[in-house]
Amino acid sequence: MASDGDRTADHLRAALDGSWREVREKAREHLDDERLYGDPYLDYRAARARVLEQMRLVSSFGWAEKGFRRENGGSSDPGAAVTALEMLAYTDLSLWVKCGVQWGLFGGAVENLGTERHRPFVEQLLSLDLLGCFAMTETGHGSDVANLETTATYDPATQEFVVHSPTPSARKDYIGGAAEHARMAAVFAQLITGGESQGVHCFVVPIRDADGNDLPGVTTSDCGLKGGLPGVDNGRIMFDQVRIPRENLLNRYADVAPDGTYGSEIENPSRRFFTTLGTLVRGRVSVGGAAAAAARLGLSIAVRYAEKRRQFADPDTGEETVLLDYRSHQRRLLPLIARSYALAFAQNDLVRRMHLVQTGQDLDPNAQRALEKRAAGLKVAQTRHATDAIQECREACGGAGYLTENRLVTLKADTDVFTTFEGDNVVLTQLVAKELLTAYADEVRDLDALGWVRFASTMTRDVVRDRTGVRQLIQRLRDRSDQGVDDGDLARREVQLQLFADREDYLTRTAAHRLRARAKETGPFEAFNNAQDHILTAGAAHIDRLVLEAFIEGIAGIEDPEARKLAEAVCDLYVYTTIEQNQAWYIMHRFMSVERAKAVRRGMNELVDRLRPQALTLIEGLGVPERMLRAAMLA
């Protein structure tokens, strides 16, 4: 018979599993398979071969097809595809990356940027008859995609594009699949026709023959050993006047006629470029989700270990004390569990939004841009959380945590690069902040300095919050807030929301003010560069608020009263942790008194003390089955 704790954990897990709950449950069954887990004792060549075989097993599950349109042999369920593949993070992140490159990045580029003429490629890549890679990043340009150096010059005499790497820094670099397995690459290059560059476009370029040999004009090389992900064959590609048919341009948004005439329905080059990149947002959504899943795995291992490992005797009883009974240990791990819950709800909301946009159910013209901003922000939050949480878990398990057989060091190594790929975290935070600042553009463009100050002091909150799409539940809570935050009860959700929103509003307003003031004295770059630290902080504050709102909405969907009560306490811990991390800012800017800051610290201790007896219930609610932990120290 199930205990009350088990039932509560079941309700929590169901809530965190989200809209694609059945997909996650089925994935847990599929992944309970020895063949799908990594073997840390293999050298990197053997690890790559093993991952390739694992991919073939995963392809039999039908997960990849969910991410493709029906006319291409899929089932048009991108939310299910992202959710199912995320679960691979519990087995082997090398396998997750390889699947993500094949079906997400390479496959996503071909389907979303291509047209009917590229359908045969999609059919082959789905079945793994065609292995591909995603060749965007270059040695000289990573985040700055618009200035990639690789060229694709159209030759009307032969109706071919000539793909070329004009400089050493134009080499495609760090490309997953390029070292060994990929036979074709989705190559991002400057399209040149009639002597004029039309900006970056994507082309499908064969790079190897069926025997694995480089094709003429193509030179691939191996990136070699990395800090983690040994099963991923990251490589480099150079092109020397490689000719491809005109039809190999992925032409959904632009095309070149046989005579070399360039045409696009999107006349503005900048808009065309960002539309192209925007269709690939699923990769960023997936990276954040996998990083958060890895953090849940690490916490599941560390907390279970802390429940059994004993250290130092209690002088009153003479018995050694379980690690998790120490306040310091509770303080180390329980706030990270709270953040994992918060990010899980935020990821569910993000995947739902992505699904609605990509299946055409959300036709709001602003929805795609809002999705991109949210995906960028959550990718930052989730990958940083994974880095912090897994490191803390490793340390919390002492020497045992450093043994490869207990998985934490492997998780740490494999997730390290997640803060870099699919967008460097600093650059993405800056992107989020820039989107926030555009909320002011129309309102302040023609104001003088006095008019700006008046506007900023009276209108900022309305502008920021309206543009971020506040939903009804959150709005009702805000409307109930009738106290200043220093007088309000920190246990009240509306007061917590006010603290998060006030920080975001203040930072965004003052960042815009600082930019405008500096721009009068210098050029735009210098003005932006001077305020970059401020801008990044505003972006981070915005992300924190979005995560809190998603957590609150997630709790509202929990029907079981005990599970909901527990989730409410976990949400409080997330709030208190975030405020404590930023309390110097709150005090400096007079949003919080020193006494209120001390109350936050006391509240943290009270919350971890209250949640300590529920630690295992919370871990089980995170949804990583105990049989999937595979850490020797838990045996």
Side-chain angles (χ1 to χ4, degrees):
M1 185 173 178
S3 68
D4 290 342
D6 291 337
R7 285 193 293 270
T8 300
D10 289 342
H11 288 293
L12 290 174
R13 182 171 58 253
L16 261 64
D17 278 354
S19 301
W20 286 272
R21 187 174 307 140
E22 293 180 1
V23 172
R24 289 191 187 276
E25 286 294 354
K26 193 66 177 176
R28 290 182 181 107
E29 295 176 18
H30 281 307
L31 298 177
D32 191 16
D33 188 325
E34 185 69 37
R35 294 172 294 173
L36 289 170
Y37 287 80
D39 182 350
Y41 295 98
L42 296 177
D43 64 39
Y44 75 97
R45 296 283 185 188
R48 291 174 179 179
R50 178 181 173 87
V51 166
L52 186 58
E53 288 306 307
Q54 290 173 323
M55 281 181 70
R56 301 194 189 283
L57 178 56
V58 172
S59 71
S60 70
F61 299 159
W63 296 350
E65 286 82 352
K66 295 179 185 297
F68 291 82
R69 291 189 287 273
R70 287 185 174 86
E71 60 266 31
N72 289 329
S75 56
S76 296
D77 194 351
V82 168
T83 300
L85 289 170
E86 175 196 303
M87 301 291 285
L88 288 174
Y90 297 152
T91 61
D92 182 2
L93 282 163
S94 287
L95 175 58
W96 177 84
V97 170
K98 282 284 284 188
C99 291
V101 168
Q102 174 69 15
W103 293 309
L105 295 178
F106 176 61
V110 175
E111 180 176 73
N112 293 313
L113 300 180
T115 55
E116 172 70 25
R117 72 191 190 198
H118 304 108
R119 181 173 295 174
F121 294 137
V122 178
E123 294 170 350
Q124 293 177 67
L125 69 87
L126 257 175
S127 61
L128 299 183
D129 290 331
L130 174 64
L131 296 176
C133 62
F134 185 79
M136 178 182 280
T137 299
E138 295 176 357
T139 303
H141 290 88
S143 299
D144 187 7
V145 178
N147 286 306
L148 295 176
E149 295 179 82
T150 302
T151 58
T153 306
Y154 186 65
D155 180 359
T158 61
Q159 296 187 26
E160 294 173 314
F161 284 100
V162 182
V163 181
H164 186 60
S165 306
T167 67
S169 60
R171 177 183 66 182
K172 295 298 179 182
D173 214 340
Y174 323 119
I175 311 301
E180 290 188 39
H181 298 151
R183 287 173 42 217
M184 183 171 285
V187 177
F188 287 78
Q190 303 286 348
L191 189 160
I192 300 170
T193 183
E196 184 178 354
S197 176
Q198 299 292 343
V200 172
H201 292 64
C202 189
F203 305 78
V204 283
V205 183
I207 60 173
R208 285 192 180 88
D209 62 24
D211 296 322
N213 302 309
D214 288 351
L215 291 172
V218 176
T219 302
T220 64
S221 56
D222 200 318
C223 288
L225 291 173
K226 310 183 297 293
L229 301 172
V232 182
D233 53 323
N234 292 88
R236 298 167 173 135
I237 314 172
M238 290 288 285
F239 301 100
D240 184 9
Q241 309 292 339
V242 175
R243 289 181 171 268
I244 58 172
R246 179 181 67 90
E247 291 78 11
N248 282 30
L249 166 65
L250 297 176
N251 63 326
R252 181 172 297 274
Y253 299 111
D255 208 351
V256 173
D259 67 356
T261 302
Y262 179 84
S264 173
E265 293 181 359
I266 306 174
E267 293 185 8
N268 184 296
S270 178
R271 182 165 163 258
R272 184 166 60 241
F273 171 71
F274 285 108
T275 298
T276 297
L277 295 188
T279 62
L280 307 174
V281 70
R282 198 183 304 177
R284 197 164 282 164
V285 173
S286 298
V287 167
R296 293 194 295 270
L297 173 59
L299 285 164
S300 298
I301 292 170
V303 170
R304 288 186 183 277
Y305 182 70
E307 284 279 21
K308 61 181 291 184
R309 177 79 160 96
R310 294 178 178 274
Q311 195 72 270
F312 300 110
D314 182 330
D316 295 329
T317 65
E319 293 185 7
E320 288 189 310
T321 304
V322 170
L323 287 181
L324 203 54
D325 283 343
Y326 288 104
R327 175 57 50 79
S328 61
H329 220 77
Q330 296 162 11
R331 276 280 213 146
R332 296 176 85 169
L333 297 180
L334 293 179
L336 294 171
I337 294 173
R339 184 167 289 272
S340 281
Y341 269 80
L343 292 171
F345 283 122
Q347 177 71 3
N348 289 344
D349 179 61
L350 178 65
V351 172
R352 179 185 60 80
R353 291 168 182 266
M354 179 209 75
H355 182 83
L356 292 174
V357 169
Q358 296 196 340
T359 56
Q361 297 177 68
D362 186 347
L363 298 175
D364 183 339
N366 297 316
Q368 175 68 38
R369 190 162 181 174
L371 173 65
E372 292 167 27
K373 182 185 72 171
R374 190 174 289 258
L378 282 178
K379 185 267 181 182
V380 172
Q382 291 167 314
T383 55
R384 283 185 175 157
H385 171 62
T387 296
D388 294 343
I390 295 169
Q391 175 64 27
E392 197 65 59
C393 289
R394 206 295 299 156
E395 293 183 28
C397 293
Y402 197 60
L403 297 182
T404 299
E405 67 180 10
N406 291 320
R407 299 192 69 186
L408 293 173
V409 287
T410 302
L411 282 175
K412 180 183 170 188
D414 288 347
T415 56
D416 194 6
V417 76
F418 281 47
T419 59
T420 299
F421 67 32
E422 280 296 313
D424 172 85
N425 275 5
V426 172
V427 175
L428 291 185
T429 305
Q430 188 170 286
L431 181 154
V432 170
K434 280 183 175 179
E435 285 292 313
L436 281 179
L437 291 168
T438 61
Y440 297 93
D442 293 337
E443 288 83 353
V444 304
R445 183 176 288 113
D446 299 321
L447 295 183
D448 59 18
L450 180 59
W452 161 262
V453 172
R454 287 173 176 165
F455 165 82
S457 64
T458 59
M459 295 295 291
T460 301
R461 289 177 186 169
D462 290 339
V463 171
V464 172
R465 295 180 195 177
D466 286 349
R467 297 297 175 89
T468 51
V470 176
R471 298 175 295 284
Q472 287 184 350
L473 171 66
I474 306 302
Q475 190 62 63
R476 284 201 305 272
L477 284 169
R478 285 182 174 167
D479 292 344
R480 279 167 41 190
S481 184
D482 54 0
Q483 296 174 295
V485 292
D486 211 45
D487 302 318
D489 181 1
L490 272 177
R492 290 173 59 188
R493 202 66 77 207
E494 57 267 31
V495 174
Q496 297 170 355
L497 272 167
Q498 192 74 43
L499 274 170
F500 278 52
D502 280 351
R503 181 166 182 259
E504 175 194 354
D505 292 343
Y506 182 91
L507 284 163
T508 306
R509 179 174 74 246
T510 52
H513 192 187
R514 184 173 165 185
L515 278 170
R516 191 172 187 277
R518 186 75 174 185
K520 290 181 178 180
E521 306 167 6
T522 64
F525 172 77
E526 180 60 33
F528 186 85
N529 202 39
N530 176 262
Q532 195 171 29
D533 58 330
H534 193 150
I535 290 164
L536 290 170
T537 306
H542 175 69
I543 296 165
D544 285 341
R545 179 180 63 78
L546 291 184
V547 172
L548 175 57
E549 289 184 359
F551 201 161
I552 293 169
E553 285 203 315
I555 291 172
I558 301 175
E559 296 181 0
D560 179 76
E562 287 302 313
R564 187 168 183 168
K565 180 180 177 182
L566 183 55
E568 293 279 10
V570 175
C571 186
D572 285 339
L573 182 56
Y574 166 70
V575 169
Y576 276 58
T577 302
T578 306
I579 293 172
E580 186 178 59
Q581 289 169 345
N582 295 287
Q583 66 181 12
W585 184 92
Y586 280 111
I587 293 170
M588 275 195 307
H589 292 86
R590 303 179 187 276
F591 281 89
M592 182 178 286
S593 67
V594 173
E595 287 307 311
R596 173 53 64 92
K598 290 178 181 178
V600 169
R601 181 172 297 177
R602 289 193 298 272
M604 282 279 291
N605 287 337
E606 291 169 5
L607 282 165
V608 297
D609 187 60
R610 192 195 322 167
L611 290 171
R612 162 65 186 100
Q614 306 293 333
L616 275 181
T617 297
L618 292 174
I619 284 298
E620 288 164 2
L622 286 177
V624 188
E626 190 171 2
R627 65 183 180 276
M628 294 180 68
L629 301 182
R630 294 177 180 251
M633 64 185 175
L634 300 180

